[in-house]
Amino acid sequence: MPHMASKGEKTRADIVECARRLFYEHGYDGTSFTRIVEASGLFRGNIYHYFKTKDEILLAVVERYLDDYRALLARWEAEHDTPRARLRAFVDMITGHKMELVEYGCPIGSLNTELGKDRRVLQHTARVLFDLFRDWLTARFVELGHKRQAEALALHLLGRAQGVAVIAHVYQDRKLLVREAQQLKAWIDGL
Amino acid sequence: MPHMASKGEKTRADIVECARRLFYEHGYDGTSFTRIVEASGLFRGNIYHYFKTKDEILLAVVERYLDDYRALLARWEAEHDTPRARLRAFVDMITGHKMELVEYGCPIGSLNTELGKDRRVLQHTARVLFDLFRDWLTARFVELGHKRQAEALALHLLGRAQGVAVIAHVYQDRKLLVREAQQLKAWIDGL
DNA sequence: AATATATTAGGACAGTTGTCCTTTTATTTG
DNA sequence: CAAATAAAAGGACAACTGTCCTAATATATT
């Protein structure tokens, strides 16, 4: 009945972390139950004690992402005091994750693209990650004084970032990533 | 030994067309051999007479796309006589395919994103579709007088289109598609 | 120490995957 | 027409998928 940070919770967190990495590197469909089990160092049916279905694991992975990204956004707000600087921090995330982006694409974008194909219910689950950034960016554009078009600007920036990630991933091009990030920051400064 | 437009070639073309549609709507992994067979109205092992592996089907699908897109590009060149008008035709393709884009995303982009995860060899096959558009756009920017940055501009436009497709697909947002397309055309006109 | 709960260990399930074989039937070529 | 080839029909394969059960062991609570 009690809920302390027991060993089981650590195992659960391990599973989620392994699943997140595997989903990112190989996709949701490309990652089998078995592979998650092996990566977590468990036994076959043991994982069932923690998650009944693969979808449940995805849900936990999304929540894990949410926690991390929420902390990241809070840090950006703490570290920068102008809306422009905060928006630039968002763009800097792109160049800060050069390697992974070129190697595996954007974790949020590729997950949504994969799930959007056939399983719209699951994609709705993954979409909250986009919502998080969209809403945060919208708030920053409001701070900048673009109240009426704030959300459109947020989606524009989100889309630009997605596009950059796709092309950089397809062509394994780190320089493009840097170049486009600079353009995005110039765009922010000119607003 | 002979190679006329026999019934077999028609069947082969049917398989490729079915596979293309299924790959687009459900993804490469999401489409099984069986499903392609059923959609083509064939029997289980019969397809083996046309394609040995699933990868071979993908190759044929990519070639089919290539043919179609090459014809499209030729048409744009025939119908418009300024580089700007031709570039605008590219952007108009986005709004012209509103429904499919919102429903399934960009066929080229989503295919590359999926294959880029784990099967880089196959992704290299699919990448030629990006190459086709990149090279064509590059040529248009050269015509416009931006010789030195022509390829960077082409990749920029390609990325913008991809980003728009991703966001519009994730949020099922047709209006965003139209709005962003307009912005892209304004960007082209201002170059 | 006794009881209850959490976790581990191992195995089993039916369904589906991509691949591949053979035999029969159509079609084309000489 | 006869011979050769193309295509259709049907079935089989091992490997893997996600899911689920039960029994044993460890840990925590009373």
Side-chain angles (χ1 to χ4, degrees), chain A residues 4-166:
Chain A
M4 301 190 57
S6 60
K7 188 173 176 209
E9 289 191 27
K10 210 238 162 213
T11 306
R12 198 191 139 93
D14 282 351
I15 295 170
V16 173
E17 181 52 28
C18 285
R20 165 158 78 164
R21 211 197 68 243
L22 290 169
F23 288 168
Y24 180 39
E25 295 178 2
H26 307 285
Y28 180 69
D29 279 328
T31 303
S32 69
F33 236 96
T34 311
R35 212 137 154 214
I36 298 172
V37 166
E38 281 168 3
S40 312
L42 299 172
F43 281 78
R44 193 85 196 85
N46 193 4
I47 201 174
Y48 190 69
H49 186 257
Y50 297 93
F51 299 97
K52 304 286 177 219
T53 66
K54 200 178 162 188
D55 292 3
E56 258 181 50
I57 301 183
L58 180 70
L59 206 88
V61 166
V62 169
E63 258 153 36
R64 171 84 198 258
Y65 268 125
L66 271 181
D67 285 346
D68 290 0
Y69 285 134
R70 268 197 269 258
L72 190 64
L73 296 176
R75 216 178 66 204
W76 291 346
E77 290 192 53
E79 284 175 359
H80 307 281
D81 45 10
T82 71
R84 242 180 273 272
R86 288 167 176 172
L87 287 169
R88 289 171 67 98
F90 171 79
V91 175
D92 283 331
M93 174 176 58
I94 296 175
T95 42
H97 291 223
K98 249 183 296 211
M99 299 302 183
E100 307 98 292
L101 281 175
V102 163
E103 189 84 5
Y104 306 109
C106 169
I108 302 177
S110 54
L111 185 62
N112 272 271
T113 297
E114 182 182 359
L115 298 177
K117 280 277 174 197
D118 230 2
R119 278 149 305 185
R120 211 147 280 155
V121 181
L122 273 190
Q123 192 251 38
H124 274 46
T125 299
R127 192 164 73 183
V128 301
L129 295 168
F130 268 115
D131 293 345
L132 180 72
F133 281 98
R134 179 201 57 191
D135 294 344
W136 187 85
L137 290 172
T138 301
R140 304 292 81 75
F141 284 114
V142 169
E143 283 176 7
L144 253 182
H146 295 82
K147 206 173 172 185
R148 290 222 33 200
Q149 341 163 47
E151 188 174 288
L153 287 166
L155 288 173
H156 177 84
L157 182 48
L158 222 46
R160 293 276 290 265
Q162 283 301 311
V164 170
V166 169

Side-chain angles (χ1 to χ4, degrees), chain B residues 9-138:
Chain B
E9 288 192 28
K10 209 240 163 212
T11 306
R12 197 191 140 95
D14 282 351
I15 295 170
V16 173
E17 181 51 30
C18 285
R20 165 158 79 164
R21 210 196 67 242
L22 289 168
F23 290 167
Y24 180 38
E25 295 178 2
H26 309 284
Y28 180 70
D29 279 329
T31 303
S32 69
F33 235 96
T34 310
R35 212 137 155 215
I36 298 172
V37 167
E38 281 169 2
S40 312
L42 298 172
F43 281 78
R44 194 86 196 81
N46 193 5
I47 200 173
Y48 189 69
H49 187 258
Y50 296 92
F51 299 99
K52 304 287 177 216
T53 67
K54 200 177 160 187
D55 292 4
E56 258 180 52
I57 301 183
L58 179 70
L59 207 88
V61 166
V62 169
E63 257 152 37
R64 172 85 199 258
Y65 268 124
L66 272 180
D67 286 347
D68 289 0
Y69 286 135
R70 266 196 271 259
L72 191 63
L73 296 175
R75 217 178 63 204
W76 291 345
E77 290 192 54
E79 285 175 359
H80 307 281
D81 45 9
T82 72
R84 241 180 274 272
R86 289 167 176 171
L87 288 169
R88 290 171 66 99
F90 171 79
V91 176
D92 282 332
M93 173 175 58
I94 297 174
T95 41
H97 291 227
K98 250 185 294 211
M99 300 301 183
E100 306 99 292
L101 282 175
V102 163
E103 189 84 5
Y104 306 109
C106 170
I108 302 178
S110 54
L111 185 63
N112 272 270
T113 297
E114 182 182 359
L115 298 177
K117 279 279 172 196
D118 229 3
R119 279 149 306 187
R120 210 144 285 151
V121 181
L122 273 190
Q123 193 251 37
H124 274 47
T125 298
R127 193 164 73 183
V128 302
L129 294 168
F130 270 115
D131 293 344
L132 181 72
F133 281 99
R134 178 201 58 192
D135 294 343
W136 187 85
L137 291 172
T138 301

